[in-house]
Short mmCIF file of all heavy atoms in Angstrom, two decimals:
data_model
loop_
_atom_site.label_atom_id
_atom_site.label_comp_id
_atom_site.label_asym_id
_atom_site.label_seq_id
_atom_site.Cartn_x
_atom_site.Cartn_y
_atom_site.Cartn_z
N LEU P 107 57.64 -26.54 -21.44
CA LEU P 107 57.92 -27.97 -21.66
C LEU P 107 56.79 -28.64 -22.42
O LEU P 107 57.03 -29.43 -23.34
CB LEU P 107 58.16 -28.64 -20.30
CG LEU P 107 58.77 -30.04 -20.17
CD1 LEU P 107 57.78 -31.15 -20.30
CD2 LEU P 107 59.95 -30.27 -21.13
N ALA P 108 55.56 -28.30 -22.07
CA ALA P 108 54.40 -28.89 -22.75
C ALA P 108 54.45 -28.56 -24.24
O ALA P 108 54.20 -29.40 -25.10
CB ALA P 108 53.09 -28.43 -22.13
N ALA P 110 57.12 -27.68 -25.95
CA ALA P 110 58.30 -28.39 -26.51
C ALA P 110 57.94 -29.83 -26.83
O ALA P 110 58.31 -30.36 -27.89
CB ALA P 110 59.47 -28.31 -25.54
N LEU P 111 57.19 -30.49 -25.96
CA LEU P 111 56.79 -31.87 -26.19
C LEU P 111 55.87 -31.96 -27.41
O LEU P 111 55.97 -32.88 -28.22
CB LEU P 111 56.08 -32.44 -24.96
CG LEU P 111 56.97 -32.88 -23.80
CD1 LEU P 111 56.12 -33.28 -22.58
CD2 LEU P 111 57.85 -34.06 -24.19
N LEU P 112 54.96 -30.98 -27.51
CA LEU P 112 54.06 -30.95 -28.66
C LEU P 112 54.88 -30.87 -29.95
O LEU P 112 54.65 -31.61 -30.92
CB LEU P 112 53.10 -29.78 -28.50
CG LEU P 112 52.00 -29.56 -29.52
CD1 LEU P 112 50.86 -28.75 -28.90
CD2 LEU P 112 52.49 -28.83 -30.75
N MET P 113 55.84 -29.95 -29.96
CA MET P 113 56.68 -29.77 -31.17
C MET P 113 57.50 -31.03 -31.46
O MET P 113 57.65 -31.44 -32.61
CB MET P 113 57.66 -28.60 -30.93
CG MET P 113 57.04 -27.27 -30.74
SD MET P 113 56.38 -26.57 -32.24
CE MET P 113 57.86 -26.20 -33.13
N ASP P 114 58.01 -31.63 -30.39
CA ASP P 114 58.82 -32.84 -30.54
C ASP P 114 57.99 -33.94 -31.22
O ASP P 114 58.41 -34.54 -32.22
CB ASP P 114 59.32 -33.28 -29.17
CG ASP P 114 60.32 -34.44 -29.22
OD1 ASP P 114 60.17 -35.33 -30.09
OD2 ASP P 114 61.26 -34.46 -28.41
N ALA P 115 56.78 -34.18 -30.68
CA ALA P 115 55.97 -35.25 -31.25
C ALA P 115 55.51 -34.90 -32.65
O ALA P 115 55.43 -35.78 -33.53
CB ALA P 115 54.76 -35.51 -30.34
N ALA P 116 55.22 -33.62 -32.91
CA ALA P 116 54.74 -33.23 -34.23
C ALA P 116 55.83 -33.39 -35.30
O ALA P 116 55.55 -33.76 -36.43
CB ALA P 116 54.26 -31.78 -34.21
N ASN P 118 58.92 -35.09 -34.85
CA ASN P 118 59.84 -36.24 -34.69
C ASN P 118 61.24 -35.87 -34.23
O ASN P 118 62.23 -36.45 -34.70
CB ASN P 118 59.95 -37.00 -36.03
CG ASN P 118 58.62 -37.54 -36.48
OD1 ASN P 118 57.96 -38.26 -35.74
ND2 ASN P 118 58.19 -37.19 -37.69
N LEU P 119 61.35 -34.92 -33.31
CA LEU P 119 62.67 -34.48 -32.90
C LEU P 119 63.44 -35.62 -32.22
O LEU P 119 64.55 -35.96 -32.60
CB LEU P 119 62.59 -33.29 -31.93
CG LEU P 119 61.86 -32.05 -32.44
CD1 LEU P 119 62.05 -30.90 -31.48
CD2 LEU P 119 62.37 -31.65 -33.81
N THR P 120 62.83 -36.20 -31.21
CA THR P 120 63.52 -37.27 -30.46
C THR P 120 63.75 -38.48 -31.37
O THR P 120 64.83 -39.07 -31.38
CB THR P 120 62.71 -37.68 -29.22
OG1 THR P 120 62.61 -36.52 -28.38
CG2 THR P 120 63.36 -38.79 -28.45
N ALA P 121 62.72 -38.84 -32.14
CA ALA P 121 62.84 -40.04 -33.00
C ALA P 121 63.95 -39.85 -34.03
O ALA P 121 64.76 -40.75 -34.26
CB ALA P 121 61.51 -40.29 -33.68
N ARG P 124 67.43 -39.84 -32.36
CA ARG P 124 67.83 -41.22 -32.01
C ARG P 124 68.33 -41.96 -33.26
O ARG P 124 69.34 -42.63 -33.26
CB ARG P 124 66.59 -41.94 -31.45
CG ARG P 124 66.89 -42.97 -30.39
CD ARG P 124 65.64 -43.62 -29.89
NE ARG P 124 64.95 -42.85 -28.89
CZ ARG P 124 63.64 -42.63 -28.85
NH1 ARG P 124 62.86 -43.07 -29.81
NH2 ARG P 124 63.10 -41.93 -27.89
N ILE P 231 47.70 -35.94 -31.82
CA ILE P 231 48.79 -36.13 -30.83
C ILE P 231 48.30 -35.71 -29.45
O ILE P 231 47.69 -34.65 -29.30
CB ILE P 231 50.03 -35.32 -31.26
CG1 ILE P 231 50.68 -36.03 -32.46
CG2 ILE P 231 51.03 -35.13 -30.11
CD1 ILE P 231 51.79 -35.27 -33.14
N LEU P 232 48.56 -36.57 -28.45
CA LEU P 232 48.17 -36.28 -27.07
C LEU P 232 49.40 -35.82 -26.31
O LEU P 232 50.44 -36.50 -26.33
CB LEU P 232 47.61 -37.55 -26.43
CG LEU P 232 47.12 -37.41 -24.99
CD1 LEU P 232 45.87 -36.54 -24.88
CD2 LEU P 232 46.85 -38.79 -24.36
N VAL P 233 49.27 -34.70 -25.61
CA VAL P 233 50.37 -34.20 -24.76
C VAL P 233 49.88 -34.27 -23.31
O VAL P 233 48.85 -33.73 -22.96
CB VAL P 233 50.72 -32.74 -25.12
CG1 VAL P 233 51.86 -32.21 -24.28
CG2 VAL P 233 51.05 -32.60 -26.62
N ASN P 234 50.66 -34.91 -22.47
CA ASN P 234 50.27 -34.97 -21.07
C ASN P 234 51.41 -34.50 -20.16
O ASN P 234 52.46 -35.14 -20.07
CB ASN P 234 49.86 -36.40 -20.65
CG ASN P 234 49.27 -36.41 -19.23
OD1 ASN P 234 49.01 -35.33 -18.65
ND2 ASN P 234 49.06 -37.59 -18.67
N THR P 235 51.18 -33.34 -19.53
CA THR P 235 52.17 -32.84 -18.56
C THR P 235 51.51 -32.73 -17.18
O THR P 235 52.07 -32.06 -16.31
CB THR P 235 52.71 -31.46 -18.95
OG1 THR P 235 51.62 -30.56 -19.12
CG2 THR P 235 53.54 -31.52 -20.23
N ARG P 237 49.32 -35.38 -14.76
CA ARG P 237 49.68 -36.55 -13.99
C ARG P 237 49.39 -37.77 -14.83
O ARG P 237 48.37 -37.80 -15.56
CB ARG P 237 48.86 -36.64 -12.68
CG ARG P 237 49.22 -35.61 -11.62
CD ARG P 237 50.60 -35.88 -10.96
NE ARG P 237 50.87 -34.91 -9.95
CZ ARG P 237 51.56 -33.77 -10.11
NH1 ARG P 237 52.06 -33.47 -11.29
NH2 ARG P 237 51.77 -32.94 -9.11
N GLY P 238 50.24 -38.80 -14.70
CA GLY P 238 50.09 -40.00 -15.56
C GLY P 238 48.71 -40.62 -15.48
O GLY P 238 48.14 -41.03 -16.50
N VAL P 241 45.48 -40.32 -17.69
CA VAL P 241 45.34 -41.12 -18.92
C VAL P 241 45.36 -42.61 -18.54
O VAL P 241 46.18 -43.04 -17.72
CB VAL P 241 46.50 -40.81 -19.89
CG1 VAL P 241 46.45 -41.69 -21.12
CG2 VAL P 241 46.46 -39.33 -20.30
N GLN P 243 46.70 -45.67 -19.37
CA GLN P 243 47.91 -45.92 -20.19
C GLN P 243 47.76 -47.17 -21.08
O GLN P 243 48.32 -47.20 -22.17
CB GLN P 243 49.11 -46.09 -19.26
CG GLN P 243 50.16 -45.09 -19.54
CD GLN P 243 51.19 -44.98 -18.43
OE1 GLN P 243 51.55 -43.88 -18.04
NE2 GLN P 243 51.68 -46.08 -17.93
N LEU P 246 46.02 -46.02 -24.00
CA LEU P 246 46.92 -45.19 -24.82
C LEU P 246 47.85 -46.07 -25.66
O LEU P 246 48.00 -45.84 -26.87
CB LEU P 246 47.75 -44.27 -23.89
CG LEU P 246 48.77 -43.40 -24.58
CD1 LEU P 246 48.12 -42.38 -25.50
CD2 LEU P 246 49.64 -42.67 -23.57
N VAL P 247 48.41 -47.10 -25.04
CA VAL P 247 49.29 -48.01 -25.77
C VAL P 247 48.52 -48.65 -26.94
O VAL P 247 49.00 -48.68 -28.06
CB VAL P 247 49.85 -49.10 -24.82
CG1 VAL P 247 50.51 -50.23 -25.60
CG2 VAL P 247 50.83 -48.47 -23.84
N LEU P 250 48.01 -46.09 -29.73
CA LEU P 250 49.26 -45.79 -30.43
C LEU P 250 49.65 -46.96 -31.33
O LEU P 250 50.09 -46.78 -32.47
CB LEU P 250 50.39 -45.47 -29.45
CG LEU P 250 50.31 -44.14 -28.72
CD1 LEU P 250 51.29 -44.08 -27.56
CD2 LEU P 250 50.56 -42.96 -29.67
N GLY P 257 50.56 -39.82 -32.08
CA GLY P 257 51.70 -39.78 -31.17
C GLY P 257 51.24 -39.36 -29.78
O GLY P 257 50.14 -38.84 -29.58
N ALA P 258 52.11 -39.61 -28.81
CA ALA P 258 51.87 -39.16 -27.44
C ALA P 258 53.16 -38.58 -26.91
O ALA P 258 54.26 -39.13 -27.14
CB ALA P 258 51.42 -40.31 -26.56
N ALA P 259 53.07 -37.43 -26.24
CA ALA P 259 54.23 -36.80 -25.65
C ALA P 259 53.91 -36.65 -24.18
O ALA P 259 53.00 -35.93 -23.78
CB ALA P 259 54.45 -35.45 -26.31
N LEU P 260 54.68 -37.36 -23.36
CA LEU P 260 54.31 -37.53 -21.95
C LEU P 260 55.46 -37.07 -21.04
O LEU P 260 56.57 -37.60 -21.12
CB LEU P 260 54.03 -39.00 -21.65
CG LEU P 260 53.11 -39.74 -22.64
CD1 LEU P 260 53.09 -41.23 -22.34
CD2 LEU P 260 51.69 -39.16 -22.59
N ASP P 261 55.15 -36.13 -20.14
CA ASP P 261 56.13 -35.78 -19.12
C ASP P 261 55.81 -36.54 -17.82
O ASP P 261 56.59 -36.48 -16.87
CB ASP P 261 56.09 -34.28 -18.86
CG ASP P 261 57.17 -33.84 -17.87
OD1 ASP P 261 58.34 -34.27 -18.03
OD2 ASP P 261 56.87 -33.05 -16.97
N VAL P 262 54.65 -37.19 -17.81
CA VAL P 262 54.19 -37.87 -16.60
C VAL P 262 53.63 -39.24 -17.01
O VAL P 262 53.07 -39.37 -18.09
CB VAL P 262 53.10 -37.03 -15.91
CG1 VAL P 262 53.68 -35.81 -15.21
CG2 VAL P 262 52.01 -36.58 -16.89
N THR P 263 53.86 -40.21 -16.17
CA THR P 263 53.38 -41.57 -16.49
C THR P 263 52.79 -42.19 -15.23
O THR P 263 52.89 -41.61 -14.13
CB THR P 263 54.55 -42.46 -16.99
OG1 THR P 263 55.56 -42.51 -15.97
CG2 THR P 263 55.13 -41.92 -18.31
N ASP P 264 52.24 -43.38 -15.37
CA ASP P 264 51.68 -44.05 -14.24
C ASP P 264 52.13 -45.52 -14.30
O ASP P 264 51.65 -46.25 -15.16
CB ASP P 264 50.16 -43.95 -14.35
CG ASP P 264 49.44 -44.65 -13.17
OD1 ASP P 264 50.06 -44.79 -12.12
OD2 ASP P 264 48.25 -45.02 -13.34
N PRO P 265 53.09 -45.96 -13.47
CA PRO P 265 53.69 -45.22 -12.36
C PRO P 265 54.87 -44.40 -12.85
O PRO P 265 55.22 -44.41 -14.02
CB PRO P 265 54.20 -46.36 -11.45
CG PRO P 265 54.59 -47.44 -12.43
CD PRO P 265 53.59 -47.36 -13.55
N GLU P 266 55.50 -43.70 -11.91
CA GLU P 266 56.74 -43.01 -12.16
C GLU P 266 57.79 -43.52 -11.22
O GLU P 266 57.52 -43.59 -10.02
CB GLU P 266 56.55 -41.49 -11.93
CG GLU P 266 55.69 -40.87 -13.00
CD GLU P 266 55.53 -39.36 -12.84
OE1 GLU P 266 56.19 -38.76 -11.97
OE2 GLU P 266 54.76 -38.78 -13.61
N PRO P 267 58.98 -43.88 -11.71
CA PRO P 267 59.31 -43.97 -13.13
C PRO P 267 58.60 -45.15 -13.76
O PRO P 267 58.21 -46.10 -13.07
CB PRO P 267 60.82 -44.15 -13.12
CG PRO P 267 61.15 -44.76 -11.81
CD PRO P 267 60.11 -44.24 -10.82
N LEU P 268 58.49 -45.11 -15.09
CA LEU P 268 57.91 -46.21 -15.84
C LEU P 268 58.94 -47.32 -15.94
O LEU P 268 60.09 -47.04 -16.27
CB LEU P 268 57.59 -45.65 -17.23
CG LEU P 268 56.48 -46.28 -18.06
CD1 LEU P 268 55.16 -46.29 -17.32
CD2 LEU P 268 56.34 -45.54 -19.39
N PRO P 269 58.55 -48.59 -15.67
CA PRO P 269 59.55 -49.66 -15.80
C PRO P 269 60.08 -49.73 -17.22
O PRO P 269 59.33 -49.48 -18.18
CB PRO P 269 58.75 -50.94 -15.48
CG PRO P 269 57.37 -50.52 -15.13
CD PRO P 269 57.24 -49.05 -15.28
N LEU P 270 61.36 -50.06 -17.35
CA LEU P 270 61.99 -50.02 -18.69
C LEU P 270 61.39 -51.00 -19.69
O LEU P 270 61.52 -50.80 -20.89
CB LEU P 270 63.49 -50.27 -18.55
CG LEU P 270 64.28 -49.06 -18.11
CD1 LEU P 270 65.76 -49.38 -18.01
CD2 LEU P 270 64.08 -47.86 -19.05
N ASP P 271 60.70 -52.04 -19.19
CA ASP P 271 60.08 -52.97 -20.12
C ASP P 271 58.65 -52.56 -20.43
O ASP P 271 57.88 -53.35 -21.00
CB ASP P 271 60.12 -54.41 -19.58
CG ASP P 271 59.39 -54.54 -18.25
OD1 ASP P 271 58.92 -53.52 -17.70
OD2 ASP P 271 59.29 -55.68 -17.74
N HIS P 272 58.25 -51.34 -20.07
CA HIS P 272 56.87 -50.91 -20.36
C HIS P 272 56.68 -50.76 -21.86
O HIS P 272 57.57 -50.22 -22.55
CB HIS P 272 56.56 -49.60 -19.65
CG HIS P 272 55.11 -49.30 -19.66
ND1 HIS P 272 54.47 -48.73 -20.75
CD2 HIS P 272 54.14 -49.50 -18.73
CE1 HIS P 272 53.19 -48.60 -20.47
NE2 HIS P 272 52.95 -49.07 -19.25
N PRO P 273 55.52 -51.22 -22.39
CA PRO P 273 55.31 -51.14 -23.85
C PRO P 273 55.42 -49.73 -24.42
O PRO P 273 55.77 -49.58 -25.60
CB PRO P 273 53.89 -51.67 -24.04
CG PRO P 273 53.36 -52.05 -22.70
CD PRO P 273 54.45 -51.93 -21.70
N LEU P 274 55.20 -48.70 -23.63
CA LEU P 274 55.32 -47.33 -24.19
C LEU P 274 56.73 -47.07 -24.70
O LEU P 274 56.92 -46.36 -25.69
CB LEU P 274 54.99 -46.30 -23.11
CG LEU P 274 53.53 -45.88 -22.95
CD1 LEU P 274 53.36 -44.98 -21.75
CD2 LEU P 274 53.00 -45.19 -24.22
N PHE P 275 57.74 -47.66 -24.03
CA PHE P 275 59.10 -47.40 -24.45
C PHE P 275 59.42 -48.05 -25.79
O PHE P 275 60.40 -47.71 -26.44
CB PHE P 275 60.10 -47.91 -23.39
CG PHE P 275 60.21 -46.99 -22.20
CD1 PHE P 275 60.00 -47.46 -20.91
CD2 PHE P 275 60.58 -45.67 -22.38
CE1 PHE P 275 60.12 -46.61 -19.83
CE2 PHE P 275 60.71 -44.80 -21.29
CZ PHE P 275 60.47 -45.28 -20.01
N ALA P 276 58.61 -49.03 -26.18
CA ALA P 276 58.85 -49.72 -27.46
C ALA P 276 58.14 -49.04 -28.61
O ALA P 276 58.30 -49.47 -29.77
CB ALA P 276 58.39 -51.16 -27.34
N LEU P 277 57.37 -47.98 -28.31
CA LEU P 277 56.59 -47.35 -29.39
C LEU P 277 57.34 -46.15 -29.94
O LEU P 277 57.66 -45.20 -29.21
CB LEU P 277 55.23 -46.92 -28.82
CG LEU P 277 54.29 -48.07 -28.53
CD1 LEU P 277 53.10 -47.63 -27.69
CD2 LEU P 277 53.79 -48.70 -29.83
N PRO P 278 57.61 -46.13 -31.24
CA PRO P 278 58.38 -45.03 -31.81
C PRO P 278 57.62 -43.71 -31.77
O PRO P 278 58.21 -42.64 -31.87
CB PRO P 278 58.63 -45.49 -33.26
CG PRO P 278 57.59 -46.53 -33.53
CD PRO P 278 57.25 -47.14 -32.24
N ASN P 279 56.27 -43.79 -31.65
CA ASN P 279 55.49 -42.56 -31.67
C ASN P 279 55.18 -42.03 -30.26
O ASN P 279 54.22 -41.26 -30.09
CB ASN P 279 54.20 -42.72 -32.52
CG ASN P 279 53.45 -43.99 -32.19
OD1 ASN P 279 53.92 -44.79 -31.39
ND2 ASN P 279 52.26 -44.14 -32.77
N ALA P 280 55.95 -42.46 -29.28
CA ALA P 280 55.81 -41.91 -27.91
C ALA P 280 57.10 -41.20 -27.52
O ALA P 280 58.19 -41.73 -27.73
CB ALA P 280 55.50 -43.03 -26.94
N VAL P 281 56.95 -40.01 -26.98
CA VAL P 281 58.10 -39.27 -26.43
C VAL P 281 57.87 -39.21 -24.93
O VAL P 281 56.77 -38.84 -24.48
CB VAL P 281 58.14 -37.82 -26.97
CG1 VAL P 281 59.34 -37.08 -26.39
CG2 VAL P 281 58.17 -37.80 -28.48
N ILE P 282 58.88 -39.53 -24.14
CA ILE P 282 58.66 -39.59 -22.69
C ILE P 282 59.79 -38.85 -21.97
O ILE P 282 60.97 -39.16 -22.18
CB ILE P 282 58.60 -41.06 -22.19
CG1 ILE P 282 57.46 -41.79 -22.92
CG2 ILE P 282 58.36 -41.13 -20.67
CD1 ILE P 282 57.55 -43.29 -22.83
N THR P 283 59.43 -37.87 -21.15
CA THR P 283 60.42 -37.18 -20.34
C THR P 283 60.10 -37.46 -18.86
O THR P 283 58.96 -37.79 -18.51
CB THR P 283 60.43 -35.66 -20.62
OG1 THR P 283 59.07 -35.15 -20.52
CG2 THR P 283 60.98 -35.35 -21.98
N PRO P 284 61.10 -37.36 -17.97
CA PRO P 284 60.96 -37.81 -16.59
C PRO P 284 60.38 -36.76 -15.63
O PRO P 284 61.03 -36.38 -14.65
CB PRO P 284 62.37 -38.20 -16.21
CG PRO P 284 63.23 -37.27 -16.98
CD PRO P 284 62.50 -36.98 -18.27
N HIS P 285 59.17 -36.29 -15.89
CA HIS P 285 58.46 -35.34 -15.02
C HIS P 285 59.35 -34.12 -14.73
O HIS P 285 59.70 -33.81 -13.58
CB HIS P 285 58.04 -36.04 -13.72
CG HIS P 285 56.89 -35.34 -13.03
ND1 HIS P 285 55.93 -36.02 -12.29
CD2 HIS P 285 56.56 -34.02 -12.95
CE1 HIS P 285 55.07 -35.13 -11.81
NE2 HIS P 285 55.44 -33.92 -12.18
N ILE P 286 59.67 -33.39 -15.81
CA ILE P 286 60.56 -32.23 -15.69
C ILE P 286 59.86 -30.93 -16.06
O ILE P 286 60.53 -29.94 -16.40
CB ILE P 286 61.84 -32.42 -16.55
CG1 ILE P 286 61.46 -32.72 -18.05
CG2 ILE P 286 62.72 -33.50 -16.00
CD1 ILE P 286 62.65 -32.66 -19.01
N GLY P 287 58.53 -30.93 -16.01
CA GLY P 287 57.77 -29.75 -16.43
C GLY P 287 58.27 -28.45 -15.80
O GLY P 287 58.46 -27.45 -16.50
#
Side-chain angles (χ1 to χ4, degrees):
L107 194 274
L111 282 174
L112 183 156
M113 297 286 290
D114 187 323
N118 298 306
L119 302 189
T120 299
R124 212 180 279 135
I231 287 171
L232 180 70
V233 181
N234 188 11
T235 56
R237 288 289 182 267
V241 175
Q243 241 166 224
L246 178 64
V247 167
L250 288 168
L260 314 171
D261 185 46
V262 286
T263 59
D264 181 23
E266 290 183 5
L268 205 57
L270 280 180
D271 60 355
H272 193 279
L274 272 173
F275 282 124
L277 289 167
N279 48 354
V281 181
I282 302 164
T283 51
H285 203 147
I286 54 169

